[in-house]
Amino acid sequence: MSAYDTAPGVAAAIDAFKLPEKLGFGLVNAPVMFSAEWHDGCWGRGQLLPYGPIEVWPGSRALQYAELVFEGLKAYRVGQSKPSLFRPEENCRRLQRSAERLSLPPVPETLFFAGIEAVTSACSAIMPTRSGQSLYLRPFLFGTESGYLLRNSVSFRFMVIANPVEAYVSGVMNVAIERTDVRAAVGGIGAAKAAANYAASLRASSAAIARGHTVALWLDGTEHRYIQELSGMNVFAVIDGELHTPELDGAILPGITRDSLLMLSRSRGFKVHERRMAIDELLAGIQKGRVSEVFACGTAAIVAPIAVLADSDGHEYEPAHTDVVARQLRDALLAIQERRAPDEFGWTKEIATTK
Ligand SMILES: *Cc1c(COP(=O)(O)O)cnc(C)c1O
């Protein structure tokens, strides 16, 4: 017996789907989605459905109180007959940790993989296959009960939607150091992949974009001194030829790309440091030429170079190099993800296809 049901219309939705030339990142929706509901203390059977609008009560806690956590991972099918995922168990564990932080019921591993595999397998024939392209999967879990009482919902929904995507090129980034707003503080929900963290970041992100920057760089919530991360990516610096990244302080999102880069660079003989990194030390290091490069990482862009760090007083700091170490790491990681290079860490997981 299959681990989920398939609704009428799924085959027709896939047949009718044409992969457009221009994919962007999130512009194109995959024609199917997965949904399972939690009622009376247990998860119901999952269903694969044609992609479309869903009904949600206006008073649901997901809408009123941001009772929602999510994940992001990619399925690749570049020069392979079957799609494969990159470290999906890590996404499953992180979704469980995020759920735990918001006291939502955890999505069991079997249900998580039923959803991921249903969508990936149904989409395998329509997945883009050029290097850098992939099927971006977005699992999410939210509270569906209406009501204003400040407690968790008693009903929940787990869904997986997907988008065929290009290699996400942010170009070379120009980041705006955010000295006023705080994305997340220790004790809060910064380490959970919760929608509400993004809400906290939107004002600074939009203001940064309006001033011609790419994205905001966040500092710690207590002293406004230590580097956390970008709104959706972790940060690294190359200092005196060694890699440095802020240590996970409880407010930083523990990125799977971050963890993979740490493992990959250690295995290639790089010296790697996870530590508290003061923004002023980084900026002084750029001026002295000791910080040769700064870059960001996350599932979407993999590794993205940062050319400029702009301070709130208008000063701009430019590391000597952009995209030297970053490019090496991006190429090495993408080659593993696309299964062109030996998977020395056992990171990729092949998905069976229905057809
Ligand atoms: C998802 C996310 C990242 C990157 O995590 P990956 O697992 O590498 O994709 C970094 N920061 C924030 C705030 C995120 O939401």
Side-chain angles (χ1 to χ4, degrees):
M1 191 179 79
S2 168
Y4 57 90
D5 298 323
T6 300
V10 163
I14 291 167
D15 285 345
F17 181 81
K18 296 263 173 311
L19 197 63
E21 208 20 62
K22 194 169 162 24
L23 296 176
F25 199 90
L27 294 179
V28 180
N29 298 307
V32 296
M33 62 188 188
F34 179 89
S35 176
E37 290 181 35
W38 161 286
H39 292 289
D40 304 321
C42 56
W43 284 105
R45 242 171 108 68
Q47 212 187 11
L48 186 67
L49 302 150
Y51 182 78
I54 58 167
E55 290 200 323
V56 183
W57 291 113
S60 69
R61 282 179 173 75
L63 292 182
Q64 299 305 322
Y65 296 146
E67 194 187 30
L68 189 151
V69 293
F70 70 97
E71 270 304 320
L73 68 163
K74 284 174 171 173
Y76 292 87
R77 198 172 68 96
V78 180
Q80 306 275 327
S81 60
K82 291 191 177 132
S84 62
L85 302 167
F86 182 73
R87 305 187 75 186
E89 312 78 18
E90 295 297 323
N91 295 94
C92 179
R93 272 199 282 275
R94 189 170 63 189
L95 186 65
Q96 292 179 342
R97 286 199 306 269
S98 299
E100 202 276 326
R101 177 62 187 83
L102 274 73
S103 84
L104 317 182
V107 174
E109 197 170 81
T110 46
L111 179 62
F112 181 85
F113 278 102
I116 296 292
E117 295 185 15
V119 171
T120 307
S121 156
C123 290
S124 72
I126 55 164
M127 277 174 68
T129 54
R130 282 203 291 272
S131 181
Q133 298 181 326
S134 59
L135 183 72
Y136 179 74
L137 296 153
R138 172 58 68 100
F140 56 107
L141 164 68
F142 58 100
T144 52
E145 189 199 4
S146 282
Y148 301 131
L149 284 183
L150 288 171
R151 58 152 173 79
N152 281 106
S153 288
V154 295
S155 56
F156 299 88
R157 190 159 172 180
F158 168 62
M159 296 191 72
V160 182
I161 55 174
N163 310 85
V165 296
E166 321 266 12
Y168 177 96
V169 256
S170 48
V172 180
M173 293 195 289
N174 171 325
V175 308
I177 300 164
E178 177 55 46
R179 297 268 187 185
T180 312
D181 285 0
V182 169
R183 186 195 88 100
V186 175
I189 57 173
K193 216 166 165 74
N197 289 319
Y198 281 77
S201 76
L202 289 174
R203 177 168 73 180
S205 301
S206 296
I209 291 166
R211 295 196 310 269
H213 307 291
T214 321
V215 64
L217 172 67
W218 297 99
L219 305 180
D220 77 278
T222 315
E223 296 182 59
H224 298 224
R225 230 179 112 193
Y226 298 101
I227 300 171
Q228 289 184 328
E229 57 176 317
L230 305 184
S231 300
M233 283 192 254
N234 297 112
V235 177
F236 280 81
V238 183
I239 307 178
D240 296 328
E242 301 181 350
L243 276 174
H244 295 248
T245 192
E247 69 186 356
L248 298 177
D249 62 353
I252 294 175
L253 194 285
I256 295 163
T257 317
R258 173 188 181 279
D259 183 66
S260 306
L261 291 182
L262 289 172
M263 290 174 71
L264 198 61
S265 27
R266 281 193 184 110
S267 84
R268 315 238 149 153
F270 260 108
K271 264 220 140 92
V272 184
H273 309 267
E274 292 178 77
R275 61 176 179 90
R276 282 222 295 195
M277 290 173 69
I279 184 67
D280 293 336
E281 174 215 317
L282 187 80
L283 298 179
I286 293 174
Q287 284 183 318
K288 289 190 206 116
R290 292 185 56 193
V291 177
S292 57
E293 198 173 332
V294 183
F295 59 86
C297 69
T299 295
I302 309 178
V303 180
I306 295 173
V308 180
L309 289 95
D311 211 341
S312 51
D313 62 7
H315 266 88
E316 300 209 332
Y317 299 80
E318 299 186 19
H321 302 285
T322 39
D323 218 19
V324 178
V325 173
R327 182 195 198 114
Q328 282 172 30
L329 291 174
R330 185 172 58 244
D331 289 350
L333 193 55
L334 186 62
I336 297 175
Q337 291 171 328
E338 293 181 347
R339 305 187 122 185
R340 291 181 276 109
D343 181 6
E344 58 196 288
F345 301 101
W347 279 339
T348 64
K349 180 181 159 81
E350 194 172 89
I351 297 296
T353 49
T354 38
K355 283 186 257 191

